[in-house]
Amino acid sequence: MSNVIISVKDLVKKYGQFEAVKGISFDVYEGEIFGLLGPNGAGKSTSLEIIETLRDKTSGQVIVAGYNLDTHPEEIKKIIGVQLQTSGFYPGLNLIELIGLFAGLYNRKVDPKELLRSVNLEDKAKAKFKDLSGGQKQRFSIATTLINDPRIIFLDEPTTGLDPQARRNLWDLIKQIRSKGTTVIITTHYMDEAELLCDRIAIIDSGKIVALDTTDNLIDALVATGFERPKDIKKANLEDVFIQLTGHALREQ
Ligand code: ADP
Ligand code: MG
């Protein structure tokens, strides 16, 4: 049996009269990549931010690594890594300086060069955040989630706006983080990304979970209903053509 590291029960969030999260329940297992999928406005970020201790809930229960969110939010903060809005990075500081700043906030000693190496940014140590490409900015912000050596990291749409090479590079990084035993919760509305990355998926729509299972089980369940794709799918798609022609290598260095 897998260890439950996050348990969410009957979580509700109201903004005034509007119920953005309508009583969702799910468990996340230690060491998995758990995907929260859903259209814009479904309540993904709200749910994540509540678990991250950044937003108050209206009702329900959240337990993270045995700590109850209501009574031990400080303990939860210590063991999670949260991707900050990139606007939160002082644009004029270089990457080494920014890591020093975050390490100070977390009261942790880190080797900035080692951390940058882990996200393939060692060449950019002296670069300012504002001068990085989109993919580099995302990799750096993932690096900052790792500073406190967290057991769980939260990634809210980490690949939105990236080109295909940068997305693939980020997928590799996220898998690498999982391979070290870190639990990853990710939101996305790219289904290819979810299929490739996530061990299990919760699909959330208008504040409710409408499905929760492994990717394979979700697809098999649909097929079992007699569903068939309307026409034969080609053996490759346009993204395959693009990658074939332009390669996997990152273009941002
Ligand atoms: P998602 O991340 O899935 O796109 P969000 O959690 O950001 O969805 O938002 C869920 C719903 O809650 C949306 O309808 C959004 O407009 C609303 N919402 C989010 N934040 C606030 C807020 N601070 N005040 C009022 N409504 C909000
Ligand atoms: Mg969101």
Side-chain angles (χ1 to χ4, degrees):
M1 264 306 282
S2 312
N3 276 336
V4 172
I5 193 160
I6 297 177
S7 164
V8 174
K9 285 206 175 72
D10 305 322
L11 181 65
V12 172
K13 174 65 183 183
K14 287 185 186 166
Y15 294 112
Q17 295 290 74
F18 173 68
E19 208 172 46
V21 178
K22 301 189 174 83
I24 62 172
S25 301
F26 60 92
D27 289 337
V28 177
Y29 300 139
E30 184 153 32
E32 75 175 342
I33 300 180
F34 185 86
L36 215 48
L37 312 192
N40 279 330
K44 304 179 296 293
S45 298
T46 298
S47 304
L48 280 201
E49 287 167 14
I50 290 169
I51 304 168
E52 292 165 351
T53 77
L54 300 178
R55 206 178 269 276
D56 289 334
K57 61 184 163 59
T58 303
S59 63
Q61 190 192 54
V62 177
I63 311 275
V64 180
Y67 297 113
N68 190 316
L69 176 67
D70 295 332
T71 54
H72 293 79
E74 295 306 319
E75 297 303 320
I76 294 177
K77 278 181 198 161
K78 282 183 203 159
I79 57 150
I80 64 171
V82 175
Q83 209 184 358
L84 299 172
Q85 299 296 320
T86 49
S87 58
F89 296 124
Y90 292 98
L93 296 185
N94 71 37
L95 301 192
I96 298 267
E97 291 165 339
L98 280 169
I99 290 171
L101 188 72
F102 284 111
L105 293 176
Y106 285 120
N107 204 12
R108 289 272 181 157
K109 274 209 167 62
V110 291
D111 177 348
K113 291 220 168 96
E114 177 62 38
L115 187 64
L116 289 176
R117 197 171 308 124
S118 73
V119 296
N120 212 353
L121 282 176
E122 60 269 42
D123 298 345
K124 295 286 168 183
K126 293 284 166 60
K128 291 178 176 161
F129 181 76
K130 67 176 167 60
D131 296 328
L132 300 180
S133 72
Q136 290 169 338
K137 282 181 175 155
Q138 283 297 349
R139 291 212 300 284
F140 183 71
S141 84
I142 290 180
T144 65
T145 72
L146 300 172
I147 285 175
N148 60 332
D149 200 15
R151 291 178 62 190
I152 310 165
I153 63 168
F154 294 84
L155 306 175
D156 197 352
E157 293 187 28
T159 65
T160 296
L162 299 185
D163 70 32
Q165 283 87 0
R167 286 177 79 208
R168 279 166 173 68
N169 185 261
L170 217 67
W171 295 342
D172 289 343
L173 174 61
I174 294 167
K175 286 186 188 167
Q176 193 185 312
I177 291 169
R178 172 183 57 187
S179 74
K180 292 181 179 143
T182 310
T183 306
V184 179
I185 302 194
I186 181 172
T187 73
T188 179
H189 25 227
Y190 299 118
M191 295 306 127
D192 58 335
E193 173 166 302
E195 196 170 339
L196 192 122
L197 272 184
C198 297
D199 297 299
R200 292 188 313 132
I201 285 168
I203 299 178
I204 176 166
D205 191 17
S206 303
K208 287 187 189 149
I209 290 183
V210 294
L212 196 175
D213 212 327
T214 62
T215 316
D216 277 348
N217 285 349
L218 289 170
I219 294 170
D220 290 349
L222 177 63
V223 171
T225 67
F227 177 90
E228 276 181 47
R229 284 188 171 170
K231 60 179 177 194
D232 264 5
I233 299 300
K234 292 183 183 173
K235 286 186 177 158
N237 64 18
L238 187 57
E239 181 148 331
D240 297 323
V241 173
F242 181 85
I243 290 289
Q244 189 69 25
L245 291 172
T246 63
H248 279 87
L250 284 170
R251 296 309 176 77
E252 57 200 9
Q253 315 292 338

